């Protein structure tokens, strides 16, 4: 089994060809494994998918996005990585659509990519997934863009395969259900199955969150006992501190999770 696994990884490496130093950091065995599993262990399809990711990374340069470039979007509190993980060790990303406040779509996408890159750096050696908590409290349909949502799904599925472990849509208004149905054709089955709807008055939601999180750390917006959530000053300090780690990661021959 292990020999077969390594053989398939070697075949993918052969198909993608020579790599730059930075691409070599990205194309670890663990990373190639994610692409293989995403394409049901089809070597040719996995290699093609990985080539598209490398092309996108070369053009978009996600690892080079710096805090100063996204701070203006971040201060709105619509998207951030809180300073805790779930019980599985998965870094958490919180989204609040009601704080969108007319953010241009491409600025939102850029900040989303920044958050993904930041969270992935903090994955433990044997963890590859993230947990998303999306708080719809106070959100209106005008806060949710179909085009931006579709682009976010595309980036997540095509360039960050297997990194999503859970997406909890918390307190989503009923009017959001038809919107989610419209997005369904763009979601691969595995990703679709990781999307869960949760409500504050639902006992199953409460149990799910208690099973997944330390309730003393989970913020109160999701029924936890933690602090109230986003503090721009503290968050900015953390992100600035993280940058040295991110730069160091991409400038050394160290495999990515």
């Amino acid at each position: 089994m292990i020999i077969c696994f390594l053989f398939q990884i070697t075949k993918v490496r052969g198909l993608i060809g020579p790599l730059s130093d930075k691409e070599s950091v990205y194309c670890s065995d663990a990373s190639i494994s994610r692409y293989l599993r995403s394409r049901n262990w089809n070597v040719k399809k996995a290699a093609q998918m990985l080539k598209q990711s490398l092309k996108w990374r070369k053009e978009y340069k996600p690892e080079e996005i710096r805090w100063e470039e996204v701070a203006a979007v971040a201060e709105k509190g619509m998207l951030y990585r809180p300073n805790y993980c779930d019980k599985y060790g998965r870094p958490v990303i919180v989204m609040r659509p009601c704080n969108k406040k007319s953010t241009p779509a491409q600025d939102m996408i850029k900040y989303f990519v920044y958050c993904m890159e930041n969270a992935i750096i903090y994955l433990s050696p044997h963890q590859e997934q993230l947990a998303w908590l999306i708080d719809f409290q106070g959100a209106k349909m005008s806060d949710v863009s179909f085009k931006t949502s579709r682009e976010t799904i595309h980036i997540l599925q095509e360039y960050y395969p297997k990194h999503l472990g859970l997406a909890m849509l918390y307190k989503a208004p009923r009017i959001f259900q038809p919107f989610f149905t419209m997005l369904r054709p763009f979601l691969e089955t595995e990703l679709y199955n990781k999307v869960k709807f949760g409500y504050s008055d639902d006992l199953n939601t409460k149990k799910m969150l208690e099973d997944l999180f330390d309730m003393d750390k989970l913020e109160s917006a999701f029924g936890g006992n933690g602090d109230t959530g986003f503090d721009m000053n503290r968050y900015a300090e953390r992100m600035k501190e993280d940058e040295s780690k991110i730069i160091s990661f991409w400038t050394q021959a160290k495999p990515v999770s």
Side-chain angles (χ1 to χ4, degrees):
M1 180 69 179
I2 294 177
I3 294 175
C4 180
F5 167 73
L6 294 175
F7 179 66
Q8 287 177 302
I9 288 177
T10 300
K11 288 176 69 176
V12 171
R13 290 190 184 282
L15 289 173
I16 61 177
L19 300 171
S20 67
D21 289 345
K22 191 173 287 187
E23 289 172 336
S24 295
V25 172
Y26 184 76
C27 293
S28 66
D29 287 355
S31 185
I32 293 175
S33 169
R34 289 190 294 105
Y35 284 85
L36 279 165
R37 284 180 284 129
S38 182
R39 290 297 176 260
N40 198 28
W41 299 98
N42 184 302
V43 171
K44 289 184 178 180
K45 290 182 179 180
Q48 182 60 33
M49 184 184 187
L50 181 52
K51 283 182 181 180
Q52 289 300 315
S53 284
L54 292 174
K55 181 176 183 291
W56 174 77
R57 295 187 72 87
K58 185 176 182 180
E59 295 171 352
Y60 201 84
K61 299 182 178 7
E63 75 284 354
E64 294 182 13
I65 302 173
R66 297 292 174 254
W67 172 249
E68 291 77 12
E69 301 173 51
V70 296
V73 178
E75 68 180 2
K76 299 177 182 181
M78 63 185 298
L79 185 67
Y80 60 94
R81 180 178 65 82
N83 199 19
Y84 60 84
C85 296
D86 70 5
K87 291 181 180 180
Y88 293 96
R90 299 180 295 195
V92 177
I93 291 180
V94 172
M95 180 181 288
R96 288 200 167 86
C98 68
N99 291 342
K100 181 182 176 183
K101 300 174 183 175
S102 302
T103 304
Q106 290 310 306
D107 289 351
M108 182 65 235
I109 292 296
K110 186 175 184 178
Y111 181 48
F112 159 72
V113 170
Y114 173 88
C115 288
M116 289 294 296
E117 293 286 313
N118 177 279
I120 288 168
I121 288 293
Y122 279 86
L123 286 168
S124 61
H126 302 293
Q127 179 57 264
E128 64 181 14
Q129 296 184 334
L130 311 175
W132 276 33
L133 296 175
I134 306 173
D135 179 14
F136 279 89
Q137 179 67 42
K140 306 181 294 294
M141 282 310 301
S142 59
D143 296 322
V144 185
S145 163
F146 180 81
K147 182 179 179 180
T148 303
S149 298
R150 188 175 62 181
E151 186 172 356
T152 300
I153 290 169
H154 174 77
I155 291 172
L156 188 61
Q157 290 183 155
E158 298 300 320
Y159 308 140
Y160 296 99
K162 298 293 182 179
H163 273 316
L164 183 67
L166 166 74
M168 167 70 79
L169 279 57
Y170 195 71
K171 296 183 180 179
R174 296 196 180 280
I175 196 173
F176 182 77
Q177 295 284 351
F179 179 88
F180 184 69
T181 300
M182 290 170 60
L183 287 174
R184 176 64 183 93
F186 302 99
L187 286 164
E188 294 176 359
T189 300
E190 182 180 5
L191 195 65
Y192 175 80
N193 290 336
K194 290 178 179 178
V195 176
K196 309 295 180 186
F197 284 84
Y199 299 92
S200 57
D201 58 352
D202 179 62
L203 293 179
N204 289 329
T205 298
K206 186 174 185 294
K207 184 180 186 306
M208 182 187 302
L209 290 171
E210 289 174 347
D211 289 343
L212 288 172
F213 294 95
D214 179 341
M215 299 304 284
D216 288 331
K217 293 180 180 178
L218 184 66
E219 54 200 77
S220 57
F222 299 102
N225 304 314
D227 61 31
T228 54
F230 185 73
D231 181 295
M232 179 59 179
N233 292 328
R234 286 189 293 174
Y235 187 63
E237 289 177 8
R238 280 178 49 217
M239 295 301 102
K240 290 175 183 176
E241 291 173 0
D242 287 350
E243 291 210 339
S244 60
K245 181 174 182 178
I246 293 171
I247 292 171
S248 175
F249 181 90
W250 288 106
T251 54
Q252 61 181 320
K254 175 183 176 183
V256 69
S257 298

